[in-house]
Amino acid sequence: MAKEFDDFENDEMDESAKEFFPEEENLAPVVRDYSERRILIWEDDDVRRNACLEVLSDLLVGATFKAVKTEAEAMEQIENDDWDTFVVDFYTEGVSASDFVKCANNYPGSILVAINMAPLTLPDERDPAKTELLRRLFDIEKPVTQLHG
């Protein structure tokens, strides 16, 4: 039997339905400080690499980024600098089996974030629903282990 809504007020909501609707104050994006984060992006495609860098720079305020085009450049960065996050696109042929991914997986105190860079655009990523999901991939504690002095 259908529930009667004749006496339903606009400000009133069934308690069981409230779980599906976030509170208004939870809709505003929370500004976080990523100033201690060091993120290395490897993407062969210039357009995708630049879009990824732009989106992540806007999303992860204060983080340090380096975006490289080749696996050789990425490997050089691993050897010469400290990183806590590596970003790659596993849809790119050969990336998942690359030496870079093997090194990144074994890099102490770091995470490897695999995202599809093809659809990344800054206007889309300003949508709070998309932004929050993408941002959560990067929410880890700052690693305490460093390889380079």
Side-chain angles (χ1 to χ4, degrees):
M1 178 174 200
K3 185 176 180 181
E4 293 293 323
F5 291 103
D6 292 339
D7 61 348
F8 184 77
E9 294 180 23
N10 286 339
D11 295 335
E12 185 180 328
M13 181 183 298
D14 185 320
E15 287 298 316
S16 63
K18 285 185 178 181
E19 69 181 280
F20 298 105
F21 298 93
E23 296 291 327
E24 276 190 40
E25 61 268 10
N26 292 338
L27 294 176
V30 176
V31 177
R32 292 171 174 83
D33 179 16
Y34 292 94
S35 59
E36 294 187 19
R37 297 296 301 276
R38 297 189 43 81
I39 301 168
L40 178 62
I41 302 166
W42 168 35
E43 170 58 51
D44 290 340
D45 183 271
D46 293 336
V47 172
R48 289 180 182 177
R49 183 176 61 257
N50 291 335
C52 182
L53 180 60
E54 182 178 0
V55 167
L56 294 182
S57 296
D58 192 59
L59 184 64
L60 306 173
V61 176
T64 298
F65 292 92
K66 177 76 174 183
V68 297
K69 181 175 179 133
T70 67
E71 182 179 10
E73 290 174 304
M75 293 297 288
E76 182 180 324
Q77 288 298 316
I78 281 182
E79 292 174 14
N80 295 328
D81 217 339
D82 293 320
W83 303 98
D84 55 53
T85 307
F86 303 98
V87 179
V88 296
D89 186 341
F90 276 0
Y91 285 103
T92 302
E93 187 176 333
V95 167
S96 61
S98 69
D99 287 337
F100 173 76
V101 168
K102 291 174 189 170
C103 285
N105 274 330
N106 292 311
Y107 198 92
S110 68
I111 62 169
L112 176 64
V113 177
I115 58 176
N116 182 1
M117 294 185 199
L120 288 180
T121 62
L122 197 54
D124 285 344
E125 297 311 318
R126 288 199 170 129
D127 173 1
K130 287 186 177 184
T131 301
E132 183 61 19
L133 293 175
L134 181 59
R135 186 198 50 75
R136 284 183 185 185
L137 293 174
F138 296 88
D139 276 354
I140 63 164
E141 293 293 321
K142 172 86 170 114
V144 293
T145 305
Q146 293 191 356
L147 292 178
H148 305 287

